[in-house]
Amino acid sequence: MSIHIAAQKGEIAKTVLLPGDPLRAKYVADHFLSDVRLVSQTRNAFYFTGSYKGKELTVGASGMGCPSIGIYSYELFTEYEAETIIRIGTCGAYTTELQLFDLVNVDHACSESSFALHAWGIEQDRIPHQGPAFSRINETAALLGKSLKTCHIHSSDMFYRKDSGTPPVAQKHHCLAVEMEAFALFANALQLGKNAATLLTVSDVIPTHEKISADQREKSLLPMMELALEAGIRM
Ligand code: HPA
């Protein structure tokens, strides 16, 4: 057991899919994995380990924001010897270069967050995906005929804020979209020599106010889940 995950050593697979929402982790486990075991439910952050096409995978919740994914990814990498974490989540597009339902594989996460600096002395405000997971996702998308975009994204510490424009760090690095976790995941993987990627579905387009509706949400995330699972078994 680690502080925030109750699984025993050996109950977490080498590759972990990490949505923010515990119920999304449960959805992936219920719909895609066989021989599933619930290996942790500390704080209702469910972690399930099971089999996808004969390969062992774990899916669990990161929670929201850099501090939360910073905790879970660190414990998965260090206490459970996970080698690869693929975050699966949603993002808001800053520009109409991206459209609702687009799938994005994150090239670099850019942030004004002090997480990387204060955790590891990493001074840059732009951290790339780590290891071969990003390429494996691109190759898998090509194999499955799924269209996938790659770009830099902004990992924001704020969901709500006063100004509605694109924040300076996102402008500086030409980030096409915003989410809240990839920067800390990539920082931890960089520090620990592990593999990390982030796969996102565009759930809203900020300038046009378009949003995936509540009833579209479940179905709209299936292509991302499928791609993450297919890439996950190829790590
Ligand atoms: N901001 C931050 N995270 C998000 C957003 C957003 O607008 N949309 C989806 N995840």
Side-chain angles (χ1 to χ4, degrees):
M1 281 172 72
S2 64
I3 296 175
H4 301 92
I5 302 173
Q8 301 298 310
K9 303 265 184 212
E11 287 186 321
I12 299 285
K14 290 286 167 211
T15 299
V16 180
L17 307 191
L18 214 55
D21 178 355
L23 293 180
R24 204 157 289 153
K26 183 174 184 320
Y27 184 92
V28 172
D30 288 347
H31 289 79
F32 295 101
L33 300 185
S34 52
D35 306 319
V36 180
R37 284 159 290 144
L38 175 63
V39 295
S40 181
Q41 51 185 326
T42 305
R43 291 174 178 250
N44 282 342
F46 306 130
Y47 280 77
F48 301 91
T49 296
S51 172
Y52 181 72
K53 298 190 175 173
K55 296 254 173 80
E56 191 180 64
L57 289 176
T58 294
V59 59
S62 71
M64 289 184 283
C66 283
S68 186
I69 197 168
I71 290 169
Y72 289 107
S73 61
Y74 183 84
E75 292 182 16
L76 290 164
F77 283 143
T78 60
E79 304 278 336
Y80 295 99
E81 295 171 17
E83 285 302 322
T84 302
I85 294 178
I86 303 174
R87 159 166 156 69
I88 51 175
T90 58
C91 63
Y94 279 135
T95 105
T96 51
E97 283 176 64
L98 292 176
Q99 297 180 338
L100 286 186
F101 310 112
D102 276 354
L103 266 182
V104 171
N105 192 6
V106 175
D107 193 338
H108 286 73
C110 310
S111 190
E112 61 284 271
S113 161
S114 62
F115 180 94
L117 178 66
H118 293 303
W120 312 121
I122 296 169
E123 290 187 1
Q124 67 257 35
D125 60 4
R126 192 184 87 145
I127 303 180
H129 67 85
Q130 297 296 307
F134 171 87
S135 303
R136 208 53 50 77
I137 290 169
N138 289 340
E139 292 155 13
T140 306
L143 197 73
L144 301 178
K146 283 182 192 285
S147 74
L148 176 65
K149 297 183 173 171
T150 61
C151 66
H152 298 186
I153 56 92
H154 176 207
S155 295
S156 178
D157 276 345
M158 284 77 62
F159 189 87
Y160 299 108
R161 59 194 169 84
K162 184 169 62 146
D163 300 319
S164 60
T166 304
V169 74
Q171 288 189 32
K172 176 179 161 193
H173 296 298
H174 193 54
C175 297
L176 298 191
V178 55
E179 53 86 78
M180 304 185 74
E181 291 83 16
F183 185 75
L185 172 62
F186 292 175
N188 280 355
L190 172 61
Q191 172 66 20
L192 299 168
K194 301 280 187 170
N195 310 319
T198 292
L199 194 51
L200 302 169
T201 302
V202 177
S203 62
D204 45 289
V205 180
I206 294 166
T208 62
H209 306 289
E210 293 165 275
K211 280 184 184 13
I212 293 180
S213 65
D215 46 322
Q216 284 172 317
R217 214 162 243 266
E218 191 168 283
K219 220 165 132 207
S220 68
L221 302 180
L222 288 171
M224 174 176 69
M225 292 173 181
E226 220 164 25
L227 177 55
L229 288 158
E230 290 289 336
I233 60 172
R234 290 171 169 82
M235 293 299 158

